[in-house]
Amino acid sequence: MVDPFEAEHEESRHIAKRLTKAGLIERYNAKNDIYTLPRRADGDCRFLDAQTRRCTVYEKRPNTCRKHPQVGPRPHHCPFGARS
């Protein structure tokens, strides 16, 4: 996605434009420097496995995911739990 050199030397809005075009983010809020990940039609994150409810990019997940929620459930599991 974004390597450390790029993150340090390129403006966030330019990175966001590239990631949006690649379909890796849904939108970017420049005022707060927040990326929104794309979601499927059912509202789940694109990177969430529908069967296991485990993140498929956990080891390389973006900071948006690392920080949400601040106090959360078991590692690899969606904070919203299983669908009913």
Side-chain angles (χ1 to χ4, degrees):
M1 285 222 241
V2 179
D3 65 50
F5 181 83
E6 179 183 26
E8 187 175 331
H9 294 94
E10 190 172 347
E11 289 185 43
S12 294
R13 64 186 176 91
H14 294 296
I15 294 171
K17 185 175 181 179
R18 181 178 59 78
L19 294 177
T20 301
K21 188 174 182 178
L24 296 173
I25 64 171
E26 189 170 300
R27 67 181 65 95
Y28 172 66
N29 178 316
K31 180 179 178 183
N32 297 310
D33 197 33
I34 296 173
Y35 298 88
T36 303
L37 296 177
R39 297 195 172 272
R40 293 190 294 262
D42 65 2
D44 281 344
C45 173
R46 168 184 156 184
F47 301 110
L48 184 68
D49 184 287
Q51 298 299 318
T52 64
R53 307 293 296 163
R54 292 170 65 95
C55 179
T56 60
V57 295
Y58 189 80
E59 293 302 320
K60 296 181 180 181
R61 70 196 183 281
N63 283 336
T64 275
C65 298
R66 290 178 188 276
K67 294 177 181 177
H68 177 77
Q70 294 298 327
V71 177
R74 299 174 295 167
H76 299 286
H77 288 79
C78 176
F80 300 107
R83 286 233 185 275
S84 44

